[in-house]
Amino acid sequence: MNALPGATPPAPPLAILLELTHRCPLACPYCSNPLRLVGMRQELATEDWLRVLDQAAELGILQVHFSGGEPSLRKDLPQLIAHARERGLYSNLITSGVALDRARLAALVEAGLDHVQLSIQDSEAEGADRIAHYRDSHRKKLAFAGWVSELGLPLTLNAVVHRHNAGRVPAMIELALELGAGRLEVAHTQYYGWGLKNRAALMPTRAQLDLATAAVQEARERLRGRLVIDYVTPDYYARRPKACMGGWAQRFLNVTPEGKVLPCHAAETIPGMRFDSVRERSLADIWQHSEAFLRYRGTDWMPAPCRGCERREIDWGGCRCQALALSGSADRVDPVCELSPDHEAVQQLAMREAAEPAPPFVYRSIKGA
Amino acid sequence: MSALAGSAVPRLLPGMRLRRDLVRDQWVLLAPERVIELDDIAYEVVSRIDGVRSVDALVDILAAEFDADRAQVAADVLDLLDDLVAKRVLGA
């Protein structure tokens, strides 16, 4: 599995996430886009994206996630979805739901869209609109969810959880049922980019976390076969790191609006790392040979104690961007792991921030933070 | 856990696609944000689900076709279907 030059090529990736644009009507303070957003004029052209879809199918990718920003702001979205379908790719639209009317959604379904993932910011309008920084966003999303079901597509709701809404996880679960969603992602905030900038404004207390976790566990049992709930636990209170992206460069690729190919959406935060572009190289070439993909693929790069750990091919050493954000170096042990010398400090940090009054949000903006 | 009744009629839920994965040379079920790899036996079961046949009928067909012990086939099929219902790939 270790991708040394000349070694066996890595297994092909399963999924690709295409950030078609960074433009978005919402301004959530935990947005996964980088602090420095790509402007419309730098975005890839339609023919570039069509070529990426061809190369993805040839490489063995099975699922394509159309994401952003708000991907429906791209006028060529129906064409891209139709092309994905022609190439046998399963297409998923990751959307805020506020920029599409029913007719335009119907056109995407007609083009071959397979599934919709709709973000919600809360279970109720006041909190949701405050997070999104967009008036009436919640009501628009509820209407949009109704159209998804009417048009016969499966629906996933994605709810990012933090100190301002963690108590309403049970209400989010009920909302998912009311809206006819088959899946719900309850995702504690990931602290990279905008989320890291707003960490003190978002960090929940341990008690909030425990209640949210209990609500998810109870609902999973009760709703078995009706609602699948994926739960992303909050790193800072965990004892073991997540297998970020299923392992660096193991299963997944991310393409930015300007065509850079990343092993994960936050990888650009790592200093000194060079990313190749779909404008210059093929996806297969990048997957196999790009410096950024080789850097942390497999286990050879690992420091002690990861290198000798029995979980090294389970969590793949956790998250490199998190190691960078919390220990100052992407090469170090992910401080979420209790075997990291930085682990204790991270838990203390989370508890300290959660205990303080929440500072105001720094909303996501094209002007940067 | 809720085992399926023999009379239940499983069906693929909207948004599920059964597809041959030529690169990995195997059958896969494509589901929302999930790829379920099917081994040969799972494929034989899933490919016969048509929204009309009951669990009992599926077991009969598979036991006859593969000349296998019906009780054993029934146990395997129920395990698989139950898992796919929990994952919301199948409704029943």
Side-chain angles (χ1 to χ4, degrees):
Chain A
M1 220 49 214
N2 296 316
L4 299 168
T8 326
L14 283 168
I16 189 164
L17 188 134
L18 308 181
E19 293 175 353
L20 297 183
T21 179
H22 279 161
R23 290 172 284 142
C24 183
L26 307 190
C28 308
Y30 46 68
C31 181
S32 64
N33 288 160
L35 294 176
R36 198 188 313 155
L37 297 166
V38 170
M40 184 177 178
R41 271 175 303 178
Q42 288 116 281
E43 289 176 10
L44 290 180
T46 303
E47 69 252 30
D48 294 319
W49 287 120
L50 293 173
R51 187 179 67 245
V52 168
L53 290 168
D54 286 335
Q55 292 177 353
E58 282 155 24
L59 182 55
I61 286 170
L62 298 172
Q63 300 205 331
V64 55
H65 305 289
F66 291 105
S67 184
E70 172 48 54
S72 65
L73 295 181
R74 287 278 302 208
K75 295 199 170 55
D76 53 4
L77 184 59
Q79 190 184 348
L80 301 180
I81 288 171
H83 199 70
R85 170 54 73 108
E86 269 169 43
R87 299 307 309 251
L89 295 162
Y90 189 95
S91 62
N92 174 27
L93 179 68
I94 300 178
T95 182
S96 65
V98 303
L100 278 172
D101 60 22
R102 194 182 191 285
R104 291 193 57 220
L105 177 62
L108 301 183
V109 177
E110 182 70 22
L113 182 63
D114 288 296
H115 170 248
V116 172
Q117 185 199 113
L118 171 67
S119 68
I120 56 163
Q121 279 64 26
D122 204 321
S123 60
E124 43 106 71
E126 191 190 338
D129 292 349
R130 186 166 84 88
I131 291 289
H133 207 49
Y134 189 93
R135 227 167 75 194
D136 221 18
S137 68
H138 193 66
R139 191 191 57 79
K140 287 186 173 169
K141 285 163 182 277
L142 301 188
F144 179 85
W147 302 331
V148 174
S149 298
E150 282 168 30
L151 292 165
L153 282 197
L155 173 69
T156 291
L157 288 192
N158 172 285
V160 175
V161 173
H162 43 76
R163 65 191 286 176
H164 302 283
N165 67 8
R168 286 187 289 279
V169 167
M172 294 174 196
I173 293 167
E174 290 313 306
L175 181 61
L177 288 173
E178 274 170 42
L179 294 175
R183 271 181 86 239
L184 171 66
E185 294 179 359
V186 177
H188 282 273
T189 308
Q190 301 282 298
Y191 297 107
Y192 311 104
W194 295 98
L196 185 60
K197 184 131 269 222
N198 284 291
R199 188 176 64 198
L202 297 165
M203 185 66 72
T205 63
R206 165 70 86 173
Q208 284 183 304
L209 158 63
D210 289 343
L211 281 172
T213 305
V216 167
Q217 280 167 350
E218 182 278 326
R220 272 183 178 159
E221 282 296 312
R222 175 166 54 90
L223 302 171
R224 190 173 185 274
R226 278 181 72 197
L227 182 69
V228 174
I229 307 178
D230 282 8
Y231 189 51
V232 178
T233 55
D235 294 326
Y236 286 45
Y237 289 113
R239 293 172 53 208
R240 293 291 189 164
K242 62 182 176 247
C244 194
M245 315 318 294
W248 181 276
Q250 296 283 349
R251 310 162 65 90
F252 180 86
L253 300 151
N254 186 100
V255 186
T256 70
E258 55 186 335
K260 284 190 207 165
V261 187
L262 318 178
C264 81
H265 64 262
E268 284 182 286
T269 58
I270 300 174
M273 190 170 273
R274 215 180 68 78
F275 300 99
D276 287 294
S277 168
V278 296
R279 296 185 202 262
E280 282 129 34
R281 297 175 73 175
S282 73
L283 275 187
D285 185 20
I286 292 172
W287 178 251
Q288 287 174 27
H289 306 298
S290 176
E291 174 194 320
F293 283 76
L294 297 181
R295 174 89 69 94
Y296 300 116
R297 178 180 274 148
T299 55
D300 277 2
W301 63 272
M302 287 181 178
C306 307
R307 186 182 276 267
C309 180
E310 60 182 19
R311 292 178 57 84
R312 66 182 177 276
E313 292 193 357
I314 298 171
D315 58 36
W316 297 102
C319 174
R320 296 303 88 220
C321 306
Q322 189 134 266
L324 172 71
L326 292 175
S327 80
S329 165
D331 294 336
R332 286 173 62 93
V333 179
D334 184 339
V336 166
C337 183
E338 62 188 349
L339 302 176
S340 158
D342 305 314
H343 177 75
E344 194 57 36
V346 168
Q347 294 223 331
Q348 296 298 330
L349 174 81
M351 287 190 270
R352 200 166 57 241
E353 288 188 343
E356 295 285 322
F361 295 135
V362 179
Y363 284 106
R364 174 202 133 108
S365 146
I366 196 86
K367 293 188 288 291
Chain B
M1 296 289 110
S2 55
L4 285 171
S7 59
V9 178
R11 64 180 196 289
L12 281 176
L13 289 175
M16 306 299 148
R17 275 208 268 149
L18 181 62
R19 203 199 111 169
R20 184 75 190 166
D21 175 359
L22 295 171
V23 170
R24 296 170 190 79
D25 195 25
Q26 65 182 356
W27 286 94
V28 289
L29 257 176
L30 301 181
E33 300 183 50
R34 171 170 224 163
V35 175
I36 298 162
E37 301 176 359
L38 299 179
D39 60 23
D40 293 344
I41 296 169
Y43 170 71
E44 295 298 340
V45 178
V46 171
S47 64
R48 284 170 176 77
I49 292 171
D50 59 2
V52 177
R53 294 182 179 118
S54 65
V55 174
D56 282 342
L58 287 167
V59 172
D60 287 342
I61 291 171
L62 289 161
E65 202 157 320
F66 294 93
D67 195 20
D69 175 44
R70 195 185 183 284
Q72 186 58 53
V73 172
D76 291 348
V77 168
L78 274 174
D79 272 357
L80 175 69
L81 296 185
D82 211 44
D83 180 49
L84 293 178
V85 166
K87 288 176 174 154
R88 279 196 55 85
V89 169
L90 298 179

